[in-house]
Amino acid sequence: EPFWETYDGRFGRVVVGHTPRPSVERRQHIVMIDTGAVYGGRLSAFCPETDAVVQVMGQTALPIPAPQHQQELIESTSC
């Protein structure tokens, strides 16, 4: 279960990437800014002081992985 499903905000607002979505998604204490630039989506930036979102179009570089392979990619990628 992704932590943003249950995060209660005790440590403040969290800005999350690495989970591509069609648009920036805001939840109570979470802002998800990964809009898939590496797959040809938009590159998004978030300003916590103003709540502004700035976006530019990305260039298609990689194929979008099938949902069943996304978790495999996450687990096999070292930080």
Side-chain angles (χ1 to χ4, degrees):
E1 169 178 315
F3 83 92
W4 56 81
E5 298 292 334
T6 58
Y7 179 63
D8 62 8
R10 73 181 82 177
F11 301 109
R13 184 178 355 197
V14 175
V15 179
V16 178
H18 301 288
T19 307
R21 302 180 177 286
S23 61
V24 172
E25 194 172 309
R26 296 172 190 205
R27 299 192 178 193
Q28 286 185 346
H29 306 286
I30 306 243
V31 181
M32 294 191 258
I33 64 166
D34 190 338
T35 46
V38 71
Y39 306 115
R42 296 179 183 273
L43 176 63
S44 300
F46 174 73
C47 178
E49 291 83 10
T50 64
D51 282 340
V53 173
V54 178
Q55 297 179 313
V56 296
M57 284 304 298
Q59 296 179 351
T60 301
L62 298 173
I64 297 173
Q68 66 268 25
H69 298 294
Q70 287 180 357
Q71 187 62 36
E72 294 169 15
L73 289 172
I74 291 168
E75 292 170 357
S76 67
T77 304
S78 60
C79 294

